[in-house]
Amino acid sequence: MKADLLIHSAAQLCVVPSHDGGPQRGHRLGDLGLVEDGAVACADGRIVAAGPTAEVRADWQAAVELDASGQVVCPGFVDAHTHVVWAGDRADEFVQRVQGATYQEIQARGGGIMATVRATRAASVERLANESRSRLDRMLAHGSTTVEVKTGYGLSTACELKMLEAIDALAVSHPVTLVPTFLAAHAVPDEYGDDPDGYVDLVVEEMLPAILQSPISNFQFCDVFCDEGAFTLAQTRRVLEAARDLGMGLKIHADEFRPLGGVALAVELGAISADHLVCTPPEEIELLGQSETVAVALPATPFGLAHRAYTPAHAILEAGGALALATDCNPGTAWCESMTFVIALACRTMRLTPAQALVAATLNSACAVGLGARVGSLQPGYDADILILDLPGVQHLGYRFGGNPVRQVVKQGRLIQASL
Amino acid sequence: MKADLLIHSAAQLCVVPSHDGGPQRGHRLGDLGLVEDGAVACADGRIVAAGPTAEVRADWQAAVELDASGQVVCPGFVDAHTHVVWAGDRADEFVQRVQGATYQEIQARGGGIMATVRATRAASVERLANESRSRLDRMLAHGSTTVEVKTGYGLSTACELKMLEAIDALAVSHPVTLVPTFLAAHAVPDEYGDDPDGYVDLVVEEMLPAILQSPISNFQFCDVFCDEGAFTLAQTRRVLEAARDLGMGLKIHADEFRPLGGVALAVELGAISADHLVCTPPEEIELLGQSETVAVALPATPFGLAHRAYTPAHAILEAGGALALATDCNPGTAWCESMTFVIALACRTMRLTPAQALVAATLNSACAVGLGARVGSLQPGYDADILILDLPGVQHLGYRFGGNPVRQVVKQGRLIQASL
């Protein structure tokens, strides 16, 4: 049969099987479906075969063949939690933080999320899209073929709609598949500083309907930052229930700094993911383990902040939970565009094996954004989002750090000319 | 006047001045000699001018001009401590470590330094050079234009000489400037397991003379791993004094795991650098601060091991010490080829500002390998080892992490076509 592209002779082909269309869970996490001397064929942007080179070649011929001898072939990374659309930067704040300034001091000097909100409000749609495009270029060059992206630097109806426009402009013009999430409940804007509940009213009564009525809206998820200094559990419930009633899938930022009960709420409301989970209490980890909600760990964030506590991955796995990884790419705590760095960090700080981290960064993160039946695996029928890594084995993925092992990116069957 | 290459219009040109031909010390560390809208010109492989674009352009014309608008121009990185020449890998050991194996358990299974010694002993000079060449390629692509490299995976006279041959083959064929260091006292080989002093005899009486008599020897430094599980202070003194008597410069691995007094010894013997210094006692930091010995911090090593303690940079600076940075690139604890990652790590774990970290990674690390009057600065007369970073300001160097901001590498005036 005729394929468009055939990658063959990989030292290790990682199929990353989804046994039931869902994420790999608990102690099963880490099943790579490894094939030595493996090949993958694709046609019309989809995987049509994956297995031993001899078998795939017996069935398929392709116009373009790539020799992956001595290299690893795996699914493209799915970055399940990012804030990659923003304007400006907060490098000065980083320098203050290194010199010992507290978050409160930085906020008092005009820093923190509100600094990015001001820059994003001041930027045109074009500037917002262009600044973000270069970040997506680098993410793609580092192997991320699907990227979730949140609003939440607008915090007014008009400016959240502007973020939606920028996301839409990128979605139609950039090879990366974008999964947009509505996060107006990211911070209370200055103009509602005395009246956070009034801002929640605005989100629920005006923004959510407005955003869903926009002709370019493609939001699938609504997210809330439920934490000390952000939104209370009651405010979070109000926003998420309203979003659920409008048919949206739900996500939550929970337990990054203080445990407020966000994971229990996420499980109760059937959220597709609960993210951060640095200080989640054991009883909520148990609830999570018994639920369908995917735990998304974001180790670049404590790393970026030089904090010592990371998501307790093994407790989540032992409870039977499904674990995913993402960069949390954002201008405050973690300007990180590389999923391979997140994997190297997860191996060290969360004690994942490279195989567990690779599944968490592909199939499981696909499940965390509702795409577990379409991306994150090299099973036939999945999108042909494929990486060739210049590594002799998967275990090198966490072992080496600081570089970019991605030699070739294939997006929906097309060879990407990586431009850093 | 005529130059070969002129880089102009840099948002920030970082000259990194050496005020007295030595490193920047104590609280002076971090003087970038920053020029906005800056330019640098070079001829015959050396810097001939650096300053405001208008001034440099008024004096110099060049066949090749590069526009660095919106970017940072700085000296090439000097990686002052690496073990980049080795054969094989220890990825399996990394996976065991992630799963909780102790270093003793890994050693009992045949892992640790001796695993690399066996692979290096078994490799031909060609294989050793070729495996290492790809690492140097990536180091150069990440901005390292000068790299120190140690022996110490041979641990026999013949095999240490083989490592010397591989280093020589790379030195004459690779654009990176290599600074070779003799480190036969890296570990006690298995065949001397019962008689470490016998191995020290071999190093002092046979290896040192043999290695210095080799026609290709270009060793400038002798190093000893002085730590628990490696060499005692008395053994270290014996090797370093013998090397000093033969006219070599001295280096030491000290206080990575246990403080054995190595820093005081290094200061006493006038070592050019003392490296690691994770658990150095305050009184030895005081001695270091009053000496000419450069402190080389290697934050990728505790990061690689997921340890929590890092070199106490501020204590060293407060004592008046000179601080440098290096990758420690090695197959056991830190397979890291990126000095920009080391900078990002140093900002977070050692609380250096990006400016301090950049000086530590250029001028000060040049001083740690005896090249402080030749590389690590863009002052006229220095080698034209220059980086263009795709960053709008130096503070972005530590702020962003996980990627490679190096857009262009210039080595001794030549544009390098980076091959990852």
Side-chain angles (χ1 to χ4, degrees), chain A residues 90-91 98 303-304 308 331 335 348 351-352 395 399 401, chain B residues 90-91 98 303-304 308 331 335 348 351-352 395 399 401:
Chain A
R90 277 149 61 194
V98 163
F303 175 80
R308 293 190 156 191
W335 188 333
R348 286 172 177 78
R351 299 277 171 204
L352 296 186
Q395 67 275 32
Y399 171 43
F401 55 89
Chain B
R90 279 150 59 196
V98 163
F303 174 80
R308 292 189 157 193
W335 188 333
R348 285 172 178 78
R351 300 276 170 204
L352 296 185
Q395 66 276 32
Y399 172 44
F401 55 91

PDB file of all heavy atoms in Angstrom, chain A residues 90-91 98 303-304 308 331 335 348 351-352 395 399 401, chain B residues 90-91 98 303-304 308 331 335 348 351-352 395 399 401:
ATOM      1  N   ARG A  90       8.681  39.919  32.022  1.00  0.00           N
ATOM      2  CA  ARG A  90       8.879  40.313  33.421  1.00  0.00           C
ATOM      3  C   ARG A  90      10.285  39.944  33.889  1.00  0.00           C
ATOM      4  O   ARG A  90      10.492  39.470  34.998  1.00  0.00           O
ATOM      5  CB  ARG A  90       7.790  39.679  34.301  1.00  0.00           C
ATOM      6  CG  ARG A  90       6.508  40.517  34.269  1.00  0.00           C
ATOM      7  CD  ARG A  90       5.236  39.726  34.422  1.00  0.00           C
ATOM      8  NE  ARG A  90       5.144  39.019  35.668  1.00  0.00           N
ATOM      9  CZ  ARG A  90       4.249  38.043  35.908  1.00  0.00           C
ATOM     10  NH1 ARG A  90       3.382  37.688  34.955  1.00  0.00           N
ATOM     11  NH2 ARG A  90       4.222  37.438  37.067  1.00  0.00           N
ATOM     12  N   ALA A  91      11.259  40.226  32.999  1.00  0.00           N
ATOM     13  CA  ALA A  91      12.657  39.912  33.317  1.00  0.00           C
ATOM     14  C   ALA A  91      13.140  40.722  34.520  1.00  0.00           C
ATOM     15  O   ALA A  91      13.883  40.207  35.361  1.00  0.00           O
ATOM     16  CB  ALA A  91      13.548  40.166  32.099  1.00  0.00           C
ATOM     17  N   VAL A  98      15.554  37.108  42.276  1.00  0.00           N
ATOM     18  CA  VAL A  98      16.870  36.523  42.542  1.00  0.00           C
ATOM     19  C   VAL A  98      17.561  37.283  43.672  1.00  0.00           C
ATOM     20  O   VAL A  98      18.268  36.698  44.498  1.00  0.00           O
ATOM     21  CB  VAL A  98      17.720  36.565  41.250  1.00  0.00           C
ATOM     22  CG1 VAL A  98      19.186  36.378  41.562  1.00  0.00           C
ATOM     23  CG2 VAL A  98      17.217  35.543  40.253  1.00  0.00           C
ATOM     24  N   PHE A 303      10.560  24.888  39.832  1.00  0.00           N
ATOM     25  CA  PHE A 303      11.948  25.118  39.406  1.00  0.00           C
ATOM     26  C   PHE A 303      12.179  26.599  39.138  1.00  0.00           C
ATOM     27  O   PHE A 303      13.154  27.192  39.600  1.00  0.00           O
ATOM     28  CB  PHE A 303      12.280  24.304  38.158  1.00  0.00           C
ATOM     29  CG  PHE A 303      13.655  24.600  37.612  1.00  0.00           C
ATOM     30  CD1 PHE A 303      14.776  24.030  38.184  1.00  0.00           C
ATOM     31  CD2 PHE A 303      13.830  25.488  36.555  1.00  0.00           C
ATOM     32  CE1 PHE A 303      16.059  24.334  37.714  1.00  0.00           C
ATOM     33  CE2 PHE A 303      15.107  25.799  36.077  1.00  0.00           C
ATOM     34  CZ  PHE A 303      16.218  25.219  36.661  1.00  0.00           C
ATOM     35  N   GLY A 304      11.267  27.201  38.367  1.00  0.00           N
ATOM     36  CA  GLY A 304      11.412  28.612  38.015  1.00  0.00           C
ATOM     37  C   GLY A 304      11.446  29.510  39.239  1.00  0.00           C
ATOM     38  O   GLY A 304      12.155  30.515  39.266  1.00  0.00           O
ATOM     39  N   ARG A 308      11.150  24.230  46.625  1.00  0.00           N
ATOM     40  CA  ARG A 308      11.668  22.874  46.807  1.00  0.00           C
ATOM     41  C   ARG A 308      10.599  21.800  46.683  1.00  0.00           C
ATOM     42  O   ARG A 308      10.922  20.628  46.563  1.00  0.00           O
ATOM     43  CB  ARG A 308      12.342  22.768  48.167  1.00  0.00           C
ATOM     44  CG  ARG A 308      13.598  23.624  48.203  1.00  0.00           C
ATOM     45  CD  ARG A 308      14.414  23.347  49.441  1.00  0.00           C
ATOM     46  NE  ARG A 308      15.802  23.717  49.182  1.00  0.00           N
ATOM     47  CZ  ARG A 308      16.810  23.395  49.986  1.00  0.00           C
ATOM     48  NH1 ARG A 308      16.582  22.664  51.065  1.00  0.00           N
ATOM     49  NH2 ARG A 308      18.029  23.765  49.688  1.00  0.00           N
ATOM     50  N   PRO A 331       5.076  34.202  31.617  1.00  0.00           N
ATOM     51  CA  PRO A 331       6.143  35.202  31.752  1.00  0.00           C
ATOM     52  C   PRO A 331       6.560  35.490  33.185  1.00  0.00           C
ATOM     53  O   PRO A 331       7.502  36.264  33.390  1.00  0.00           O
ATOM     54  CB  PRO A 331       5.509  36.456  31.136  1.00  0.00           C
ATOM     55  CG  PRO A 331       4.057  36.287  31.402  1.00  0.00           C
ATOM     56  CD  PRO A 331       3.784  34.804  31.307  1.00  0.00           C
ATOM     57  N   TRP A 335       9.229  30.793  32.191  1.00  0.00           N
ATOM     58  CA  TRP A 335       9.316  30.986  30.737  1.00  0.00           C
ATOM     59  C   TRP A 335      10.134  29.817  30.178  1.00  0.00           C
ATOM     60  O   TRP A 335      11.332  29.905  29.970  1.00  0.00           O
ATOM     61  CB  TRP A 335       9.945  32.320  30.382  1.00  0.00           C
ATOM     62  CG  TRP A 335       9.875  32.647  28.913  1.00  0.00           C
ATOM     63  CD1 TRP A 335       9.820  31.759  27.868  1.00  0.00           C
ATOM     64  CD2 TRP A 335       9.835  33.947  28.323  1.00  0.00           C
ATOM     65  NE1 TRP A 335       9.748  32.428  26.678  1.00  0.00           N
ATOM     66  CE2 TRP A 335       9.765  33.771  26.921  1.00  0.00           C
ATOM     67  CE3 TRP A 335       9.875  35.244  28.830  1.00  0.00           C
ATOM     68  CZ2 TRP A 335       9.727  34.861  26.032  1.00  0.00           C
ATOM     69  CZ3 TRP A 335       9.841  36.310  27.940  1.00  0.00           C
ATOM     70  CH2 TRP A 335       9.762  36.114  26.562  1.00  0.00           C
ATOM     71  N   ARG A 348      13.951  13.890  37.895  1.00  0.00           N
ATOM     72  CA  ARG A 348      14.754  14.187  39.081  1.00  0.00           C
ATOM     73  C   ARG A 348      13.914  14.593  40.276  1.00  0.00           C
ATOM     74  O   ARG A 348      14.169  14.172  41.398  1.00  0.00           O
ATOM     75  CB  ARG A 348      15.750  15.306  38.770  1.00  0.00           C
ATOM     76  CG  ARG A 348      16.881  14.792  37.920  1.00  0.00           C
ATOM     77  CD  ARG A 348      17.797  15.880  37.413  1.00  0.00           C
ATOM     78  NE  ARG A 348      18.857  15.227  36.670  1.00  0.00           N
ATOM     79  CZ  ARG A 348      18.706  14.771  35.433  1.00  0.00           C
ATOM     80  NH1 ARG A 348      17.565  14.928  34.790  1.00  0.00           N
ATOM     81  NH2 ARG A 348      19.705  14.143  34.836  1.00  0.00           N
ATOM     82  N   ARG A 351      10.799  11.855  40.543  1.00  0.00           N
ATOM     83  CA  ARG A 351      11.224  10.453  40.526  1.00  0.00           C
ATOM     84  C   ARG A 351      10.435   9.621  39.517  1.00  0.00           C
ATOM     85  O   ARG A 351      10.128   8.456  39.763  1.00  0.00           O
ATOM     86  CB  ARG A 351      11.097   9.820  41.920  1.00  0.00           C
ATOM     87  CG  ARG A 351      11.967  10.501  42.963  1.00  0.00           C
ATOM     88  CD  ARG A 351      13.384   9.995  42.932  1.00  0.00           C
ATOM     89  NE  ARG A 351      14.270  10.787  43.784  1.00  0.00           N
ATOM     90  CZ  ARG A 351      15.587  10.868  43.606  1.00  0.00           C
ATOM     91  NH1 ARG A 351      16.178  10.202  42.625  1.00  0.00           N
ATOM     92  NH2 ARG A 351      16.326  11.598  44.387  1.00  0.00           N
ATOM     93  N   LEU A 352      10.100  10.217  38.381  1.00  0.00           N
ATOM     94  CA  LEU A 352       9.530   9.429  37.291  1.00  0.00           C
ATOM     95  C   LEU A 352      10.669   8.797  36.507  1.00  0.00           C
ATOM     96  O   LEU A 352      11.737   9.390  36.350  1.00  0.00           O
ATOM     97  CB  LEU A 352       8.716  10.318  36.343  1.00  0.00           C
ATOM     98  CG  LEU A 352       7.478  10.997  36.916  1.00  0.00           C
ATOM     99  CD1 LEU A 352       6.722  11.727  35.795  1.00  0.00           C
ATOM    100  CD2 LEU A 352       6.544  10.001  37.606  1.00  0.00           C
ATOM    101  N   GLN A 395      15.732   6.228  27.726  1.00  0.00           N
ATOM    102  CA  GLN A 395      16.259   6.592  29.047  1.00  0.00           C
ATOM    103  C   GLN A 395      17.187   7.799  28.981  1.00  0.00           C
ATOM    104  O   GLN A 395      17.415   8.473  29.990  1.00  0.00           O
ATOM    105  CB  GLN A 395      16.917   5.391  29.721  1.00  0.00           C
ATOM    106  CG  GLN A 395      18.178   4.884  29.071  1.00  0.00           C
ATOM    107  CD  GLN A 395      17.919   3.896  27.931  1.00  0.00           C
ATOM    108  OE1 GLN A 395      16.898   3.985  27.222  1.00  0.00           O
ATOM    109  NE2 GLN A 395      18.839   2.975  27.723  1.00  0.00           N
ATOM    110  N   TYR A 399      18.010  11.611  31.255  1.00  0.00           N
ATOM    111  CA  TYR A 399      19.423  11.521  31.659  1.00  0.00           C
ATOM    112  C   TYR A 399      20.204  12.771  31.240  1.00  0.00           C
ATOM    113  O   TYR A 399      20.881  13.410  32.045  1.00  0.00           O
ATOM    114  CB  TYR A 399      19.957  10.254  31.016  1.00  0.00           C
ATOM    115  CG  TYR A 399      21.423   9.936  31.053  1.00  0.00           C
ATOM    116  CD1 TYR A 399      22.191  10.103  32.201  1.00  0.00           C
ATOM    117  CD2 TYR A 399      22.028   9.391  29.921  1.00  0.00           C
ATOM    118  CE1 TYR A 399      23.527   9.742  32.199  1.00  0.00           C
ATOM    119  CE2 TYR A 399      23.360   9.021  29.917  1.00  0.00           C
ATOM    120  CZ  TYR A 399      24.110   9.213  31.057  1.00  0.00           C
ATOM    121  OH  TYR A 399      25.422   8.853  31.053  1.00  0.00           O
ATOM    122  N   PHE A 401      20.414  16.709  29.989  1.00  0.00           N
ATOM    123  CA  PHE A 401      19.541  17.872  30.189  1.00  0.00           C
ATOM    124  C   PHE A 401      20.200  19.153  29.688  1.00  0.00           C
ATOM    125  O   PHE A 401      21.421  19.223  29.554  1.00  0.00           O
ATOM    126  CB  PHE A 401      19.116  18.007  31.654  1.00  0.00           C
ATOM    127  CG  PHE A 401      20.252  18.073  32.645  1.00  0.00           C
ATOM    128  CD1 PHE A 401      20.831  19.282  33.007  1.00  0.00           C
ATOM    129  CD2 PHE A 401      20.734  16.918  33.248  1.00  0.00           C
ATOM    130  CE1 PHE A 401      21.874  19.348  33.935  1.00  0.00           C
ATOM    131  CE2 PHE A 401      21.780  16.960  34.176  1.00  0.00           C
ATOM    132  CZ  PHE A 401      22.353  18.175  34.505  1.00  0.00           C
TER     133      PHE A 401
ATOM    134  N   ARG B  90      25.850   6.119  30.839  1.00  0.00           N
ATOM    135  CA  ARG B  90      25.360   5.497  32.078  1.00  0.00           C
ATOM    136  C   ARG B  90      23.879   5.803  32.275  1.00  0.00           C
ATOM    137  O   ARG B  90      23.429   6.086  33.387  1.00  0.00           O
ATOM    138  CB  ARG B  90      26.223   5.932  33.263  1.00  0.00           C
ATOM    139  CG  ARG B  90      27.513   5.109  33.340  1.00  0.00           C
ATOM    140  CD  ARG B  90      28.699   5.821  33.930  1.00  0.00           C
ATOM    141  NE  ARG B  90      28.498   6.290  35.273  1.00  0.00           N
ATOM    142  CZ  ARG B  90      29.295   7.203  35.872  1.00  0.00           C
ATOM    143  NH1 ARG B  90      30.345   7.709  35.214  1.00  0.00           N
ATOM    144  NH2 ARG B  90      29.064   7.588  37.092  1.00  0.00           N
ATOM    145  N   ALA B  91      23.127   5.707  31.165  1.00  0.00           N
ATOM    146  CA  ALA B  91      21.689   5.992  31.220  1.00  0.00           C
ATOM    147  C   ALA B  91      20.977   4.985  32.127  1.00  0.00           C
ATOM    148  O   ALA B  91      20.053   5.358  32.865  1.00  0.00           O
ATOM    149  CB  ALA B  91      21.085   5.968  29.819  1.00  0.00           C
ATOM    150  N   VAL B  98      16.863   7.214  39.702  1.00  0.00           N
ATOM    151  CA  VAL B  98      15.507   7.760  39.771  1.00  0.00           C
ATOM    152  C   VAL B  98      14.596   6.831  40.569  1.00  0.00           C
ATOM    153  O   VAL B  98      13.719   7.274  41.314  1.00  0.00           O
ATOM    154  CB  VAL B  98      14.957   7.965  38.340  1.00  0.00           C
ATOM    155  CG1 VAL B  98      13.452   8.135  38.353  1.00  0.00           C
ATOM    156  CG2 VAL B  98      15.640   9.148  37.674  1.00  0.00           C
ATOM    157  N   PHE B 303      22.023  19.561  40.609  1.00  0.00           N
ATOM    158  CA  PHE B 303      20.762  19.440  39.863  1.00  0.00           C
ATOM    159  C   PHE B 303      20.624  18.036  39.288  1.00  0.00           C
ATOM    160  O   PHE B 303      19.585  17.388  39.423  1.00  0.00           O
ATOM    161  CB  PHE B 303      20.689  20.478  38.736  1.00  0.00           C
ATOM    162  CG  PHE B 303      19.473  20.301  37.860  1.00  0.00           C
ATOM    163  CD1 PHE B 303      18.236  20.778  38.270  1.00  0.00           C
ATOM    164  CD2 PHE B 303      19.556  19.628  36.648  1.00  0.00           C
ATOM    165  CE1 PHE B 303      17.102  20.588  37.485  1.00  0.00           C
ATOM    166  CE2 PHE B 303      18.428  19.430  35.859  1.00  0.00           C
ATOM    167  CZ  PHE B 303      17.194  19.910  36.280  1.00  0.00           C
ATOM    168  N   GLY B 304      21.693  17.562  38.649  1.00  0.00           N
ATOM    169  CA  GLY B 304      21.654  16.237  38.023  1.00  0.00           C
ATOM    170  C   GLY B 304      21.382  15.139  39.035  1.00  0.00           C
ATOM    171  O   GLY B 304      20.704  14.154  38.723  1.00  0.00           O
ATOM    172  N   ARG B 308      19.964  19.005  47.122  1.00  0.00           N
ATOM    173  CA  ARG B 308      19.395  20.318  47.426  1.00  0.00           C
ATOM    174  C   ARG B 308      20.438  21.376  47.722  1.00  0.00           C
ATOM    175  O   ARG B 308      20.125  22.560  47.739  1.00  0.00           O
ATOM    176  CB  ARG B 308      18.440  20.196  48.602  1.00  0.00           C
ATOM    177  CG  ARG B 308      17.209  19.391  48.205  1.00  0.00           C
ATOM    178  CD  ARG B 308      16.152  19.443  49.275  1.00  0.00           C
ATOM    179  NE  ARG B 308      14.858  19.160  48.665  1.00  0.00           N
ATOM    180  CZ  ARG B 308      13.698  19.360  49.257  1.00  0.00           C
ATOM    181  NH1 ARG B 308      13.659  19.861  50.477  1.00  0.00           N
ATOM    182  NH2 ARG B 308      12.568  19.084  48.642  1.00  0.00           N
ATOM    183  N   PRO B 331      29.330  11.750  32.266  1.00  0.00           N
ATOM    184  CA  PRO B 331      28.281  10.765  31.990  1.00  0.00           C
ATOM    185  C   PRO B 331      27.577  10.241  33.226  1.00  0.00           C
ATOM    186  O   PRO B 331      26.635   9.456  33.089  1.00  0.00           O
ATOM    187  CB  PRO B 331      29.053   9.639  31.302  1.00  0.00           C
ATOM    188  CG  PRO B 331      30.421   9.716  31.917  1.00  0.00           C
ATOM    189  CD  PRO B 331      30.673  11.188  32.147  1.00  0.00           C
ATOM    190  N   TRP B 335      25.082  15.093  32.507  1.00  0.00           N
ATOM    191  CA  TRP B 335      25.318  15.163  31.062  1.00  0.00           C
ATOM    192  C   TRP B 335      24.627  16.434  30.561  1.00  0.00           C
ATOM    193  O   TRP B 335      23.503  16.396  30.073  1.00  0.00           O
ATOM    194  CB  TRP B 335      24.812  13.916  30.348  1.00  0.00           C
ATOM    195  CG  TRP B 335      25.211  13.861  28.898  1.00  0.00           C
ATOM    196  CD1 TRP B 335      25.474  14.908  28.068  1.00  0.00           C
ATOM    197  CD2 TRP B 335      25.411  12.685  28.108  1.00  0.00           C
ATOM    198  NE1 TRP B 335      25.820  14.469  26.822  1.00  0.00           N
ATOM    199  CE2 TRP B 335      25.786  13.105  26.808  1.00  0.00           C
ATOM    200  CE3 TRP B 335      25.289  11.323  28.370  1.00  0.00           C
ATOM    201  CZ2 TRP B 335      26.033  12.197  25.775  1.00  0.00           C
ATOM    202  CZ3 TRP B 335      25.526  10.426  27.330  1.00  0.00           C
ATOM    203  CH2 TRP B 335      25.910  10.860  26.054  1.00  0.00           C
ATOM    204  N   ARG B 348      18.913  30.799  39.967  1.00  0.00           N
ATOM    205  CA  ARG B 348      17.881  30.310  40.894  1.00  0.00           C
ATOM    206  C   ARG B 348      18.455  29.683  42.148  1.00  0.00           C
ATOM    207  O   ARG B 348      17.965  29.911  43.245  1.00  0.00           O
ATOM    208  CB  ARG B 348      17.004  29.284  40.177  1.00  0.00           C
ATOM    209  CG  ARG B 348      16.065  29.959  39.222  1.00  0.00           C
ATOM    210  CD  ARG B 348      15.314  28.997  38.351  1.00  0.00           C
ATOM    211  NE  ARG B 348      14.416  29.776  37.512  1.00  0.00           N
ATOM    212  CZ  ARG B 348      14.820  30.443  36.438  1.00  0.00           C
ATOM    213  NH1 ARG B 348      16.074  30.383  36.043  1.00  0.00           N
ATOM    214  NH2 ARG B 348      13.962  31.177  35.753  1.00  0.00           N
ATOM    215  N   ARG B 351      21.386  32.276  43.586  1.00  0.00           N
ATOM    216  CA  ARG B 351      20.955  33.671  43.713  1.00  0.00           C
ATOM    217  C   ARG B 351      21.917  34.649  43.058  1.00  0.00           C
ATOM    218  O   ARG B 351      22.128  35.748  43.562  1.00  0.00           O
ATOM    219  CB  ARG B 351      20.747  34.045  45.184  1.00  0.00           C
ATOM    220  CG  ARG B 351      19.693  33.194  45.879  1.00  0.00           C
ATOM    221  CD  ARG B 351      18.302  33.716  45.644  1.00  0.00           C
ATOM    222  NE  ARG B 351      17.266  32.797  46.100  1.00  0.00           N
ATOM    223  CZ  ARG B 351      16.029  32.787  45.620  1.00  0.00           C
ATOM    224  NH1 ARG B 351      15.658  33.621  44.675  1.00  0.00           N
ATOM    225  NH2 ARG B 351      15.135  31.933  46.064  1.00  0.00           N
ATOM    226  N   LEU B 352      22.501  34.258  41.941  1.00  0.00           N
ATOM    227  CA  LEU B 352      23.276  35.219  41.162  1.00  0.00           C
ATOM    228  C   LEU B 352      22.324  35.997  40.275  1.00  0.00           C
ATOM    229  O   LEU B 352      21.342  35.455  39.767  1.00  0.00           O
ATOM    230  CB  LEU B 352      24.302  34.494  40.274  1.00  0.00           C
ATOM    231  CG  LEU B 352      25.398  33.697  40.966  1.00  0.00           C
ATOM    232  CD1 LEU B 352      26.382  33.163  39.923  1.00  0.00           C
ATOM    233  CD2 LEU B 352      26.140  34.538  41.998  1.00  0.00           C
ATOM    234  N   GLN B 395      19.226  40.173  31.210  1.00  0.00           N
ATOM    235  CA  GLN B 395      18.444  39.581  32.295  1.00  0.00           C
ATOM    236  C   GLN B 395      17.561  38.430  31.810  1.00  0.00           C
ATOM    237  O   GLN B 395      17.147  37.587  32.604  1.00  0.00           O
ATOM    238  CB  GLN B 395      17.616  40.657  33.026  1.00  0.00           C
ATOM    239  CG  GLN B 395      16.529  41.316  32.203  1.00  0.00           C
ATOM    240  CD  GLN B 395      17.022  42.476  31.350  1.00  0.00           C
ATOM    241  OE1 GLN B 395      18.160  42.486  30.877  1.00  0.00           O
ATOM    242  NE2 GLN B 395      16.151  43.441  31.133  1.00  0.00           N
ATOM    243  N   TYR B 399      16.364  34.311  33.144  1.00  0.00           N
ATOM    244  CA  TYR B 399      14.897  34.339  33.244  1.00  0.00           C
ATOM    245  C   TYR B 399      14.250  33.209  32.441  1.00  0.00           C
ATOM    246  O   TYR B 399      13.441  32.445  32.955  1.00  0.00           O
ATOM    247  CB  TYR B 399      14.488  35.721  32.733  1.00  0.00           C
ATOM    248  CG  TYR B 399      13.043  36.048  32.515  1.00  0.00           C
ATOM    249  CD1 TYR B 399      12.050  35.707  33.414  1.00  0.00           C
ATOM    250  CD2 TYR B 399      12.676  36.794  31.379  1.00  0.00           C
ATOM    251  CE1 TYR B 399      10.734  36.085  33.186  1.00  0.00           C
ATOM    252  CE2 TYR B 399      11.373  37.186  31.151  1.00  0.00           C
ATOM    253  CZ  TYR B 399      10.400  36.818  32.060  1.00  0.00           C
ATOM    254  OH  TYR B 399       9.106  37.197  31.827  1.00  0.00           O
ATOM    255  N   PHE B 401      14.389  29.554  30.492  1.00  0.00           N
ATOM    256  CA  PHE B 401      15.220  28.360  30.667  1.00  0.00           C
ATOM    257  C   PHE B 401      14.704  27.200  29.823  1.00  0.00           C
ATOM    258  O   PHE B 401      13.546  27.168  29.422  1.00  0.00           O
ATOM    259  CB  PHE B 401      15.307  27.952  32.143  1.00  0.00           C
ATOM    260  CG  PHE B 401      13.982  27.746  32.835  1.00  0.00           C
ATOM    261  CD1 PHE B 401      13.380  26.496  32.862  1.00  0.00           C
ATOM    262  CD2 PHE B 401      13.355  28.789  33.490  1.00  0.00           C
ATOM    263  CE1 PHE B 401      12.162  26.288  33.520  1.00  0.00           C
ATOM    264  CE2 PHE B 401      12.146  28.597  34.147  1.00  0.00           C
ATOM    265  CZ  PHE B 401      11.543  27.357  34.151  1.00  0.00           C
TER     266      PHE B 401
END
